[in-house]
Structure formats: structure tokens, C-alpha cells
Amino acid sequence: MEHVPPPAEELALLDRELAQLDARRAHLLTRRAWLVSALQPQAPNAPRWHTPPVGHGWAPGQPWSAAPRAAKPSGPPRSAQNVLLTLGGLLLTVAAVAFTLVSWGSMGIGGRSAVLALVTLAALAAPVVLLRRKLAATAEALAALALVLTLLDVYAVHAVAAPDADGLTFTAVASAVLAALWAAYGLALGKLHLPLPAAVFFVQWPLLLGAWAAGAPAIVVGWALLVTAMVDGSIALWGKGLGVRVTAGIGLAVMGSAALLTGLGESLTADGPLGAVLPGTLLLTAAVAALAGAWRAPNGYAQVSGVVAGLAAVAAVGGVLRAAVPGAWHVPVYLLCGLALLSVVRAPLPRGAGRGVLAAAGAVVAGALLWAVPPVAAVLLGPVELVAEVWAGAPDGFRGALGESMRWSESAAAPVVLAVVAGLLGAAYRWWPSLVRVAAPLVTPGAAARGAAGAGALALGWGTLLLAAATLGVPYPVAVALETVLVAGLLLVAVRGAEQGAGDAGAAEGDAAGAGAEAAGGGRSAVAVTALVAAVGGAVSVGLLSLAAEAATYAVFGALVVLFAGAALRTRAVVEQAVFAVAAVVWGTVLTGCAARSLELAPHEAAPLLLVVPAVTVLLGARLRLHPVALPVELAGALGALVAVGLAVPDAPFLALVLALCGVLAAGAAVRPERRPAAGYVAAVLFVAATWVRLAASEVSAPEAYTLPVAVPALAVGVLRRRKDPEASSWTAYGPGLAATLLPSLAVAWTDPDWVRPLLLGVAALVITLLGAKYRLQALLLLGGAVLALDTLHELAPYVVQVAGALPRWLPPALAGLLLLAVGATYEQRLRDARKLKDLLGRMR
């Protein structure tokens, strides 16, 4: 038990605590003021400050002197120095260019050559002297100037000494000379950062421009690019300095990519296998060079080298084989070459390079699948065209039902691609432990990878069978039967996968056992999900395909109802069970629609027949009660009821009938306590709506004669309900009866030119509103008030229009602005009033 002091003693304790807090706050504020003053700029002769020693004798605000700090050496900052040197170098460069291009003609040949030679030699010699005096930044700026001057010298030599020389040839030779010059200069002056990267830049052009100048074929240009890229790779691996390696790396990426693209283009356009040998040799050389560089490159670059090597090897070998097979089989050839890269797991390669080669194999497989997937999509989505011509007759073969937009002769090899990849993924899924042991030196795939392999094998195998049937052009009945059997097989896999996943989850005991179950069940879970999605998609596809013939439609949708209902009963997993059950309800709804079409019923006449399935779902929901699947099933049935209402809209009598039947179904669902709060209100709304529609369809001008006999017993039942259960809501007790009589009368009163009905309706609404306010009944207050307000607005509308027409045009906006200002000025008070009104209504029954 805690001791609670008397009030006087507790008050004294609180006063002492507050006094201590005030003293501590004053102490901290004083210390803060001292710190602020210590951090402010001091006069030159003012004493320096430092943190005073901690002790009892310290007084806040007392200055503490310290030994003067050593003065920093004077001189311009490094950034300012760099800016000055850069500006100076740029000005000198501009002057040199202007001299060469503008003032060149005013001097003789000897003078021009002597000036440029002397200036270039001076610019090249100056960094040597400056480096000895440790002026590295200035030396770097003059080296940059010398670089520009050497380019101007090359231009001068071409313009004066060799004006008739070919421009490309001269540029190639000049690039080689400049590369050698700047490489020697950079090696001699190792402290300069610019010369060696400049030499690497000049190395890029001699071979390329020389081949171009000689008019060499594209394959020779590709070899020139490849050799240049190999030189860049060597510099990037063994060169010294970050700038050299970065420049060489950029050259390697650009020149290597150009060489590979050149070889690939020549390989794809080769006339025969012999014509593809030279491009293949180029690509194979590039692959060998990339693998050689991967031995010394860091791990990330080694993986990139492995990817390049793998893709280049596939393009080389595949290009030769591609030229020997028909056009439809080009992709399978490249796929087989890509799959051959999987043998890298046994090759003695660095780990990074091996991973890159495996990634290249995966890229080739992914590209082949991207080529083969569009025909599968055409098979699945092609039957959509049959919706516009339901039961027009069985087409001539499977292809006739898919349309003529697809060129099936060009997709003859697509099933082979899908089958090969599906077989490999299935084998990997089946012998996963052995695969993990073999691939352990390069990769360590987990349970998720196994699940992806199994799911991919299942999906691709399904697509293979569908695409093979379309490619072979099987008859229409065979295609329908095949797709139905595939849906049944997918459902079986999904059910078994869900059962195994549930069994593994329940059998996992302990950490080790739980991890094993998770590893074993992860793949089955992915396979089960894939089978579930494919089963639903396949069911939609075969359902659309069956619309070509009446007998096929009944056979397919009847089989789908049985298959999905059986799968829902067989599985124990809640999600799968709900999906299966909802799908069975949807197929059953479609089947009832087909029955209506067979009976040659109009759409509004078929609407009551569509309510058969919603009625079954209501009964099924009552049977399942609190089972998690009950709600999805009932919602699917409600969707079918909504479709029935939409079909009945053009015919008012049938619409009233359908609304009333839907109200009966909702009332049947409201019998269950767990559905009563929602279904009860829905049933009331549907019954009232059915009444209104029926009255409107019968052109009744006095609806009170029909609504009052219903409203009075309904209100009496509400009174009895409230007496038995005072806590019952007024909406449940009185809402249906009041709405059944007030709302139809209000609708008629708005079009009634006489004054008797609006007057009587207004009086009744006023009485109901007052009763609601007196007995604190929410339904009476809100319904009565709303009807009274609308009725009053209807009666006052002509006078309001007259008054508005007589007012000046500026007055309504002004009044609206004043109203907004008033509301804004008292916004908080209005908000509190709204909250009070909300709370008041909330406390009502």
C-alpha cells in the first residue's frame, strides 16, 4: 500500500520541489548567457575563452583566460588559388587559339613555326621548374596549357607542312604521336595528374581513325575497337593513378560496347554460317579478354566482366548456328547456347566472374521467355472476341477461336522454348539439394529460389501445353477439353500444395524442425499460389473459349462449378478455400445466365432467374455461419444480385420484383445475429425501393393509399419492439415505416401543383420531428426534419426565385461573403456547436 500524505503536507512538498526547479533553471540560464558571450567574436587584445574547470569554486559568467593560440599561416586559400590558376590557364589558352586562328596569316612560315614551337616548349618546360619549387598547382595549369598548345601544333603542321594529307589519316597518326608524347611526359613528371589521362584519351583514336581512313569493312573496325578496348582494360588494371584508371575505364566501356555491337550486328546480318565465323571470332576474343580481366578486377567489376563474356560467347556461337536454321528457330538456338553457360559452375573461374556468367545465362533465358510469352497471352486472351458473338457456332479449329491476328508459323518454336525452360526449372525443383551442392562454389540459393523454380516450371509447363495446342491447330472440342483438364490439374496442385503447407506448419516443432519445415514448405507454397492463379486465369480463358457453342458453354461452366466447389470442400487453407468458393459462385451465376439465354428470355426477364445463385449463397452462409469463407461467398452472391438488378432496370415492374426478391434474401440473411446490423438495413432499403418503383410503374398519383396501410403496422411493430427492448435503435423500430410513407409522398409533393399534399406532409413531418426531439429518437428527428426542410424549400422556392430576381446582382455574393466571414470569425465556436450536436444525436436511440 502507498502512503498518501495529508493535503497540507503534500502542498509543502510540492512548494519545495518547485523552488528547487526554479533555482536549477536560473543556474542553467546564467550558464547559457556565459556560453553565448564566450562564443561571440572577441577584440584583438581581448582575452581568449575556454571551458572553465569543473568545481565548486566556479562562478557562472566568470571569464577564463587561456594561452594564445598559434596564428595560422597567412596566404590565399587553396580554393582561391585554384580559381586564379584556372582563370589564368583559360586566358592563356584563349590567347593561343586566337593567335593561331586569327593572327596566323600576318606572319611568315618561319615566324609562325618558331613562335608556336617556342611557346609549346616553354609551356612543357615550365612545369619542371615549378615542381622543383613545389608549385604543383601552377605546374598543373601550365601543363593544361601545354596540352592545348600541342593540339594547336598538330593543326599548324597539318595546315602548313601537310595540307594535302588525308584528314582522318593525319588525325590517327597525330593521336598516336600525342599519346606517346604525353605518356613519356607524364612518366617523366610523375607528380602531374593531367598528362597520363590525356595520353589515355589520345590512345582511343589511332586504330579506329586509321581503319576508318583506310575504308576498312565493319568487321575490321570492330577489331580496331576491340584492340583499343583491350588496351584500355590493361591500363585500367595496371595503370597508376585514379585519373588514369577512370579515363581508361570510360574508354573500355565505350570502345568495348561499340566493338560488341559491331560484332553482333555483323553476326545477325551474316548470310550463312561461314559469314558468321569472323564476327563470332571477334565476339569470342572479346569474351576471352573479359574473362582474362576478371582475374585481376575487383569483385563487382569481375561480375560485369563475366556478364560481358557470357553474352559475347552466346552471340558468337549462337550467330554461327543461327545462320544454319530457319528463322523461326533462331531464338531456341541462342537459348541452348545460353543454357550451355550453366556449365560454368564446374569451371575454375573467380567467384565474381562465375556469378557474372550465370547472370548472362539468366539474361539469355529471360530474353527467350520474353519472345515466347506474347503467343501464350494471345492464346489466353484471344477468345475475348467471342463475347460479341455468343453461340455463333463452333469455329474451325483452335486457331479459328483465337482470331487471325497472330502469325502462328513464326511462333512454331515458342512451345519448344517454354518446354526447355520449364523442364530445367522442374529438374532444379526436383533435385534441389544436388543443385545446391553443385552451385555452392558460386551461389548459395535458398528455399525462396526453390519455390520460384517450382512456380516457374508449373507456369511455363501450362503455357507450353496451351501454346502447343494452338500452334498445332487442334480441333475446337479438343482445345476446350484440354484447357478444362489443365484447370482441373492446376486445382489439384493448388489443393495439395495448400494441404502440405498447412501440414508442415502444424508439424514444425522446435527451431531446427521449424526451419526445415519452412525450407521445405516455401517452394510448395509458391507452387500452390502459382497453381491457384493459373487455375483462375485458365478457367476464365476456357470459359470465354466455350462461348462459341451452346453445348460447350454448359459443359465447361458446369465442370468449372463442380471443380471449384470440390476444391473448396477439399482444401483446409482459408484463403484458397475462399477463392475457390467465390469462383464457383461466379461460374454458377454465369451458368444461370446461359440458362436464361437458352430459354430466350429478355434481359429483364432473366433477372429473377439470376437470383437463384444469391439465394443458394444465403442458405450456404446460414450453414457456414461463422466460418471465414461465409462472408466472401455471400458477397459473391450479392454481386450476382447486383447484376440482376442492373438487367431489370429497363423494365420497372420487373425491377420492383427483383428489388423485392433481393429484399427477401437480405432479410433472410438478417435473421443471423452476425449479419443483422448490415443486412437488416439493406433489406429495409430494398423493400422501400421496391415499393417506390412499383408505385411509379403503376402511375399511382396518391401513394399514401398504399404506403399508409404498410406504414401503420410497421410503426406498431416498432412500438412493440421498443417496449420489449428500450435499447433498440429507433432506425430499426421506426425507420422502415416512416421511410415507406414519407419519402414517396415527398417525391409526389415535389411535382404536385396543388397545396394540400405539401401542407399535410409538412404538418406530419413537423409532428414527427417534435416527437423525435421530445423522446430523443434519432430516426424521427432526422427523417422528419429532412422531409420538413425539403417540403418547405419546395413551397418557398418560387418566392425565393422572385426575391432573388428583384435583388441587385451584387447583393447575393455580398451576403455570401458576409456569411463566410461570420462563420470564419466564429469558426471555433461553430465547431464546438457541431460537436455538441453530433454528441446529442449520438446519444439518441
Side-chain angles (χ1 to χ4, degrees):
M1 298 177 63
E2 296 182 359
H3 171 67
V4 180
E9 184 179 349
E10 186 177 2
L11 180 61
L13 290 173
L14 292 177
D15 290 338
R16 284 197 295 271
E17 291 285 342
L18 291 174
Q20 292 176 3
L21 291 175
D22 290 338
R24 179 62 178 165
R25 185 173 184 276
H27 171 75
L28 294 176
L29 289 175
T30 305
R31 173 65 175 169
R32 181 183 182 280
W34 178 84
L35 291 173
V36 171
S37 63
L39 293 174
Q40 289 178 351
Q42 304 291 327
N45 298 327
R48 299 282 180 178
W49 299 87
H50 68 84
T51 304
V54 180
H56 295 289
W58 169 73
Q62 179 182 358
W64 295 84
S65 61
R69 300 179 181 176
K72 295 182 179 179
S74 60
R78 295 283 298 177
S79 59
Q81 182 183 10
N82 293 334
V83 171
L84 293 175
L85 291 174
T86 303
L87 290 176
L90 287 176
L91 291 176
L92 288 175
T93 302
V94 171
V97 173
F99 169 77
T100 304
L101 298 179
V102 179
S103 301
W104 188 258
S106 62
M107 300 180 64
I109 297 176
R112 289 177 286 184
S113 303
V115 169
L116 268 182
L118 289 175
V119 173
T120 304
L121 290 176
L124 291 173
V128 179
V129 180
L130 293 174
L131 287 176
R132 292 177 181 176
R133 297 179 178 273
K134 298 182 179 181
L135 298 175
T138 307
E140 204 75 51
L142 288 178
L145 175 63
L147 176 62
V148 177
L149 289 174
T150 54
L151 293 175
L152 294 177
D153 287 336
V154 171
Y155 170 75
V157 170
H158 181 265
V160 176
D164 297 330
D166 180 65
L168 289 176
T169 305
F170 183 85
T171 305
V173 175
S175 299
V177 173
L178 289 176
L181 171 65
W182 281 101
Y185 188 75
L187 293 175
L189 301 178
K191 295 183 179 180
L192 292 179
H193 300 289
L194 180 63
L196 290 179
V200 174
F201 173 77
F202 288 125
V203 166
Q204 312 301 315
W205 309 111
L207 293 178
L208 175 61
L209 295 180
W212 193 0
I219 190 65
V220 177
V221 176
W223 278 106
L225 292 169
L226 179 59
V227 173
T228 304
M230 293 169 65
V231 173
D232 289 330
S234 301
I235 297 173
L237 290 176
W238 287 287
K240 296 182 180 180
L242 180 62
V244 174
R245 294 191 173 190
V246 170
T247 306
I250 295 174
L252 172 62
V254 175
M255 296 298 178
S257 300
L260 292 174
L261 290 176
T262 302
L264 180 62
E266 290 296 307
S267 177
L268 293 176
T269 57
D271 295 333
L274 293 179
V277 171
L278 289 179
T281 305
L282 173 64
L283 294 171
L284 279 180
T285 305
V288 173
L291 284 181
W295 286 94
R296 287 185 56 87
N299 185 44
Y301 294 102
Q303 291 188 19
V304 175
S305 299
V307 172
V308 172
L311 294 178
V314 170
V317 180
V320 176
L321 299 178
R322 178 203 64 85
V325 298
W329 295 91
H330 289 172
V331 174
V333 167
Y334 284 106
L335 174 63
L336 294 178
C337 295
L339 293 177
L341 295 178
L342 297 177
S343 60
V344 75
V345 296
R346 294 293 189 181
L349 291 178
R351 184 179 178 89
R355 287 186 172 184
V357 175
L358 288 180
V364 173
V365 173
L369 291 179
L370 287 178
W371 174 79
V373 163
V376 179
V379 173
L380 292 175
L381 301 178
V384 173
E385 300 178 356
L386 298 176
V387 176
E389 300 177 357
V390 178
W391 297 350
D396 185 15
F398 192 13
R399 294 181 185 179
L402 301 178
E404 301 298 333
S405 59
M406 194 68 189
R407 297 179 180 178
W408 298 105
S409 59
E410 298 179 1
S411 304
V416 177
V417 171
L418 295 177
V420 170
V421 180
L424 289 176
L425 292 177
Y429 179 75
R430 175 63 180 84
W431 292 287
W432 187 255
S434 301
L435 177 63
V436 171
R437 285 194 299 270
V438 172
L442 297 182
V443 292
T444 54
R450 187 193 183 196
L458 179 65
L460 294 178
W462 171 55
T464 300
L465 295 176
L466 291 178
L467 190 55
T471 305
L472 296 175
V474 299
Y476 174 76
V478 176
V480 172
L482 174 63
E483 289 204 37
T484 307
V485 171
L486 288 178
V487 171
L490 291 171
L491 288 175
L492 180 61
V493 174
V495 170
R496 288 187 175 180
E499 290 179 353
Q500 291 175 356
D504 289 338
E509 296 179 358
D511 294 339
E518 183 181 0
R524 287 193 293 272
S525 177
V527 171
V529 172
T530 304
L532 175 62
V533 175
V536 175
V540 174
S541 178
V542 71
L544 294 173
L545 183 64
S546 67
L547 295 179
E550 182 177 4
T553 303
Y554 282 106
V556 168
F557 280 102
L560 291 179
V561 171
V562 174
L563 289 174
F564 278 87
L569 295 174
R570 184 67 177 84
T571 185
R572 293 179 296 171
V574 174
V575 176
E576 287 83 351
Q577 194 174 38
V579 173
F580 294 148
V582 169
V585 171
V586 173
W587 311 143
T589 304
V590 175
L591 201 58
T592 56
C594 294
R597 181 178 178 85
S598 297
L599 296 174
E600 298 182 356
L601 299 177
H604 63 275
E605 296 174 341
L609 184 61
L610 289 180
L611 296 178
V612 173
V613 175
V616 174
T617 59
V618 170
L619 297 176
L620 187 59
R623 177 69 175 85
L624 297 174
R625 297 188 66 81
L626 298 178
H627 195 279
V629 181
L631 182 59
V633 169
E634 292 180 82
L635 291 178
L639 181 63
L642 187 62
V643 173
V645 171
L647 292 176
V649 166
D651 190 273
F654 269 92
L655 177 60
L657 174 61
V658 172
L659 289 173
L661 293 176
C662 292
V664 172
L665 296 179
V671 174
R672 297 154 52 196
E674 67 274 10
R675 298 287 184 263
R676 188 170 299 156
Y681 292 115
V682 173
V685 171
L686 289 173
F687 281 132
V688 172
T691 303
W692 298 345
V693 172
R694 181 68 262 181
L695 293 176
S698 302
E699 299 181 356
V700 174
S701 59
E704 293 81 7
Y706 300 91
T707 58
L708 285 177
V710 177
V712 172
L715 293 175
V717 172
V719 171
L720 296 176
R721 170 72 186 277
R722 289 277 297 174
R723 287 183 179 180
K724 184 179 181 181
D725 183 12
E727 298 298 325
S729 172
S730 60
W731 289 100
T732 304
Y734 307 120
L738 292 175
T741 186
L742 289 178
L743 298 182
S745 299
L746 178 64
V748 176
W750 269 72
T751 59
D752 192 353
D754 202 359
W755 58 273
V756 177
R757 177 178 280 105
L759 176 62
L760 296 177
L761 179 62
V763 171
L766 177 61
V767 172
I768 293 172
T769 304
L770 294 177
L771 291 174
K774 179 179 180 181
Y775 295 104
R776 304 177 63 82
L777 298 175
Q778 192 179 103
L780 276 68
L781 180 62
L782 294 182
L783 276 176
V787 172
L788 179 61
L790 292 175
D791 187 64
T792 305
L793 177 64
H794 173 263
E795 294 302 310
L796 296 179
Y799 304 102
V800 172
V801 171
Q802 293 179 4
V803 172
L807 291 176
R809 295 291 181 90
W810 56 268
L811 188 57
L815 294 177
L818 290 175
L819 177 62
L820 292 177
L821 288 176
V823 173
T826 60
Y827 175 74
E828 295 295 336
Q829 182 61 38
R830 302 286 78 78
L831 189 60
R832 286 193 294 269
D833 294 342
R835 289 173 179 170
K836 290 179 180 179
L837 179 60
K838 178 183 176 182
D839 295 339
L840 179 63
L841 291 175
R843 288 192 296 268
M844 291 183 177
R845 283 292 175 184

